[in-house]
Amino acid sequence: MKEKNAVFTSRIVPYIYLSPTLIILIVFLFYPAWKSIILSMYRSNLFLGTRKFIGLENLKSLFTGPLAPGFLQVLAQTVIFSILVVALSLFISLFLAVQASKDIRGARIYRVLLIWPFALSPAIAATIALFMFNPEVGIVNALTGLSIRWLDSPVPTFFLTVGIAVWKNLGYSIVFYLAALQSLPKSPLEAANIDGATMMQRFWLVTYPLLSPTTFFLLFTNLIYSFFDSFAIIDMLTRGGPVGPGPLLDNEGITTTLMYKVYLDGFGGSSNMGFAAAEGVVLMVLVGIAALFQFRFLAKRVHYEG
Amino acid sequence: MKGKSTLWIRHLGVHIILLTAVFVTCFPIIFAIIKATQETHIVATASMIPGTQFLKNLDTVWNEYHLGRYLRNSFFISLWVAGGKIILSLFAALALVFYTFRAKKLIFAFIIVTLMLPTEMLILGLFELVSSQPASDLKSLLIWMFNPVEFFLEPTRYGFGWGDTLSGIIFPFMASATGVFLFRQHFLSIPRSLADSARIDGAHSLQFLRHILIPMSMNTIGALALIQFVYVWDQYIWPRIIIRRAANQVVQVGLNMIIATGESVQWSQVMTAVIISILPPLIVFSLLYRAFMNGYALSSEK
């Protein structure tokens, strides 16, 4: 299959065609990735321009010493934040995609209205939320009569950040579930129908397994989203704050994720780039583990083809 | 009769669920549109009655808060990156599918691995490389590059000197594993006879690309244009770090400065900026939606 279309032969031409892509990838992805790892072994200050090789000191100080509680808090927060965002996104988008793909009046209009927030950016979502959930002038408290401190009280702020992150990315997941639902093979569902399966049985025993390639794809993309694209939401909405309750959550802001902490430590007040790079290495490991799962799945192909 | 009415009730349930979901997804935007038109003393209330201040707000944010400039910058980088990615990926996929050569599998694996390397993850190394000043002369650059210990094992000494420039955003995003992957999948589905007859007619691979492949790949090109335009338009972390002067900032980060202008936040003006800045991706989205569904979301491989 792979070689079936290889009709042209040349020793040099394919490399010429590939070279712009390869050069960009090497110069702007692989080299900086490697240099980020190298940087984690230096004590380096962005503004002072000082550099000193200290080996694995930075990595060690993530887990022991005065900086460790803050890092571990952020690591735990990142895991909880990501699990919540991914699980809620997938569950809600699958549920809505199933509803919107039913044969009902106005289904097409529903689909478009559910999908289009895909074109919104995280920063836009955060800006609107900043206004809507403003405790003084926001419409949410005004209409509901609540007086929740959405932006500076730990628990509401954490869940608001999760909610906005989920809201922003629903359209993306719904697109893929809708597309997958539309291209499902008809025969297994019909067979289940004839066998007298109930609606719930049909969904969980037939439709859901058939959707598993899409679910896996979305699991990974949503995880990457929750790690990285949530940055703009956090930066605009909460700046990583507010500081959580003691004794475990009072070292850092409760909405500070690992990516946000890399930014704060590397480019914020302390500009300790080596330490930030060490945190970045942990982030790389997390993404690497997720990618490994993704690859294993791709290799196995959990397809249930009829 | 009974069957029909239960069906209707069941559908009523579906309608209620979907209407609620549509309300939750769309209300914030309707809210932003209405607030963008209201007078200053009404904006801070719960009133949802449209006002008449939109053009005045637009004039203020466009000219005084530099929204126009942020949008131009975002537009510029999004077009360059989306266009560049499409062209680079077309050529890479052309080589990977229609040529036989030795390092093919290795190079393909090398490209696909970058799917697991989001740019955000390497901002520290990338910042060093992009913002460090370039070597003053070629000789010192070469001396550095050919010293493996310094080049690979020490923090970056010379870079591109692109701190605070749009080039610093454009070039790091120029190549795309997604693009190469999508075009490769699409090219593999093209019948061999087409490529064969092109070769027998004496067409060079460039002519084959121009006259056969590109016209046959319009859905994939459209899908990729949409994905990449929106992707670059939404970029936030990297511009926030690499761009220092407001004049060179993109609109996503510029929103921060529009919020921070003045003593108290002028929400009607901020909402005006929000509405204007979602128009370009929305227009691209509506133009390329069909191509996106056919060329990406519905294709079996991603």
Side-chain angles (χ1 to χ4, degrees):
Chain A
M1 182 70 185
K2 262 183 190 150
E3 296 296 323
K4 93 160 194 184
N5 270 340
V7 298
F8 293 103
T9 44
S10 166
R11 267 165 188 274
I12 312 161
V13 174
Y15 295 103
I16 295 175
Y17 289 169
L18 281 163
S19 58
T21 295
L22 293 179
I23 289 170
I24 297 272
L25 292 179
I26 292 170
V27 174
F28 292 109
L29 279 172
F30 284 99
Y31 188 62
W34 172 249
K35 280 312 188 70
S36 299
I37 298 171
I38 294 296
L39 199 59
S40 75
M41 296 176 206
Y42 279 77
R43 180 171 289 135
S44 170
N45 188 296
L46 175 61
F47 299 120
L48 303 176
T50 51
R51 278 154 186 187
K52 186 170 177 281
F53 183 79
I54 52 169
L56 295 178
E57 280 303 309
N58 283 324
L59 213 55
K60 222 165 88 187
S61 61
L62 293 179
F63 300 98
T64 56
L67 295 174
F71 172 75
L72 293 173
Q73 181 197 336
V74 167
L75 190 63
Q77 280 166 191
T78 307
V79 171
I80 296 168
F81 178 84
S82 296
I83 289 175
L84 280 175
V85 169
V86 173
L88 287 171
S89 292
L90 290 190
F91 179 77
I92 297 172
S93 59
L94 176 59
F95 178 71
L96 291 178
V98 168
Q99 306 305 319
S101 60
K102 283 181 179 159
D103 188 19
I104 53 167
R105 287 190 110 194
R108 285 188 49 164
I109 300 168
Y110 283 129
R111 281 175 217 158
V112 172
L113 288 175
L114 289 173
I115 287 171
W116 74 272
F118 161 64
L120 295 182
S121 70
I124 291 290
T127 308
I128 299 174
L130 198 59
F131 184 21
M132 286 180 68
F133 290 90
N134 183 300
E136 279 84 31
V137 299
I139 193 168
V140 174
N141 276 1
L143 282 186
T144 56
L146 299 167
S147 51
I148 296 176
R149 305 292 303 178
W150 290 106
L151 301 171
D152 50 18
S153 154
V155 177
T157 307
F158 183 79
F159 285 104
L160 177 66
T161 313
V162 170
I164 302 301
V166 171
W167 179 82
K168 196 267 136 202
N169 217 33
L170 272 187
Y172 182 82
S173 307
I174 290 177
V175 168
F176 286 99
Y177 273 133
L178 276 176
L181 283 164
Q182 277 171 27
S183 54
L184 281 186
K186 293 274 176 287
S187 50
L189 277 172
E190 279 162 10
N193 242 347
I194 293 165
D195 291 346
T198 66
M199 216 173 70
M200 289 307 271
Q201 282 173 331
R202 281 210 308 271
F203 178 77
W204 287 113
L205 298 177
V206 183
T207 308
Y208 182 72
L210 282 168
L211 289 175
S212 67
T214 309
T215 302
F216 242 91
F217 167 76
L218 288 175
L219 207 60
F220 186 73
T221 49
N222 275 284
L223 189 68
I224 295 295
Y225 165 83
S226 72
F227 277 174
F228 301 111
D229 295 317
S230 59
F231 181 95
I233 294 173
I234 293 162
D235 192 41
M236 297 194 79
L237 207 57
T238 68
R239 310 258 154 186
V243 170
L248 287 173
L249 297 176
D250 58 350
N251 300 292
E252 297 284 344
I254 196 149
T255 58
T256 302
T257 58
L258 197 45
M259 185 64 233
Y260 201 69
K261 189 156 159 56
V262 168
Y263 166 79
L264 284 180
D265 290 339
F267 301 96
S270 62
S271 73
N272 187 349
M273 290 191 83
F275 184 72
E279 292 171 328
V281 170
V282 175
L283 198 54
M284 283 186 198
V285 171
L286 289 181
V287 173
I289 293 170
L292 220 64
F293 273 104
Q294 168 89 344
F295 268 131
R296 276 195 55 157
F297 163 77
L298 279 178
K300 267 201 206 156
R301 297 221 157 262
V302 189
H303 254 297
Y304 291 78
E305 272 163 334
Chain B
M1 200 58 201
K2 199 186 165 210
K4 258 194 181 163
S5 73
T6 50
L7 188 73
W8 185 83
I9 287 169
R10 196 196 291 161
H11 278 185
L12 181 70
V14 175
H15 281 292
I16 289 171
I17 291 167
L18 287 172
L19 282 172
T20 313
V22 166
F23 176 78
V24 173
T25 45
C26 296
F27 178 78
I29 300 301
I30 296 165
F31 169 80
I33 293 172
I34 291 173
K35 288 293 168 187
T37 66
Q38 288 179 342
E39 311 226 356
T40 315
H41 65 279
I42 300 177
V43 170
T45 68
S47 163
M48 285 290 280
I49 301 160
T52 55
Q53 300 296 301
F54 182 71
L55 290 177
K56 191 168 154 278
N57 287 332
L58 181 58
D59 184 54
T60 312
V61 284
W62 192 277
N63 294 312
E64 286 172 36
Y65 297 0
H66 313 302
L67 177 68
R69 195 180 284 160
Y70 300 145
L71 285 174
R72 262 203 307 282
N73 291 336
S74 283
F75 217 77
F76 185 77
I77 60 160
S78 302
L79 285 181
W80 268 103
V81 173
K85 281 189 182 211
I86 289 170
I87 294 168
L88 261 57
S89 320
L90 271 172
F91 275 102
L94 174 65
L96 287 170
V97 174
F98 295 101
Y99 279 91
T100 331
F101 56 98
R102 281 172 72 188
K104 192 172 183 168
K105 272 194 174 158
L106 186 75
I107 289 178
F108 182 61
F110 182 81
I111 292 173
I112 288 306
V113 165
T114 63
L115 281 174
M116 312 303 162
L117 276 180
T119 303
E120 292 92 337
M121 206 161 68
L122 33 106
I123 48 169
L124 293 154
L126 191 61
F127 181 80
E128 267 196 333
L129 178 73
V130 170
S131 70
S132 298
Q133 285 309 309
S136 53
D137 54 288
L138 190 64
K139 201 181 136 206
S140 39
L141 178 69
L142 289 176
I143 290 176
W144 172 61
M145 286 181 75
F146 284 96
N147 181 340
V149 173
E150 282 194 10
F151 188 70
F152 288 107
L153 299 181
E154 287 178 13
T156 308
R157 175 170 299 175
Y158 301 119
F160 289 91
W162 284 339
D164 212 10
T165 67
L166 294 182
S167 307
I169 306 179
I170 293 170
F171 283 99
F173 286 103
M174 206 57 137
S176 165
T178 315
V180 176
F181 193 65
L182 279 182
F183 281 127
R184 180 178 169 275
Q185 288 305 122
H186 179 63
F187 289 174
L188 282 173
S189 72
I190 286 174
R192 185 193 163 101
S193 53
L194 263 178
D196 263 336
S197 58
R199 188 179 52 94
I200 292 161
D201 290 347
H204 188 262
S205 55
L206 282 178
Q207 292 165 320
F208 177 58
L209 176 72
R210 197 173 138 208
H211 296 294
I212 297 175
L213 283 185
I214 291 182
M216 285 185 75
S217 308
M218 279 328 214
N219 271 339
T220 314
I221 292 175
L224 201 60
L226 172 61
I227 296 166
Q228 300 302 352
F229 186 92
V230 172
Y231 171 73
V232 179
W233 186 269
D234 289 359
Q235 282 303 315
Y236 185 91
I237 305 183
W238 182 239
R240 187 162 179 8
I241 291 166
I242 200 74
I243 301 293
R244 300 257 162 221
R245 276 181 305 153
N248 293 336
Q249 197 48 275
V250 298
V251 70
Q252 306 300 329
V253 185
L255 284 171
N256 276 309
M257 285 175 258
I258 293 174
I259 293 172
T261 309
E263 280 172 27
S264 63
V265 184
Q266 299 298 314
W267 284 111
S268 60
Q269 290 161 6
V270 173
M271 290 301 118
T272 306
V274 161
I275 296 305
I276 298 300
S277 68
I278 61 179
L279 288 180
L282 267 188
I283 292 167
V284 174
F285 178 77
S286 48
L287 289 177
L288 297 175
Y289 174 70
R290 211 133 274 289
F292 172 75
M293 288 306 270
N294 293 327
Y296 186 60
L298 282 173
S299 68
S300 55
E301 311 268 345
K302 272 150 212 123

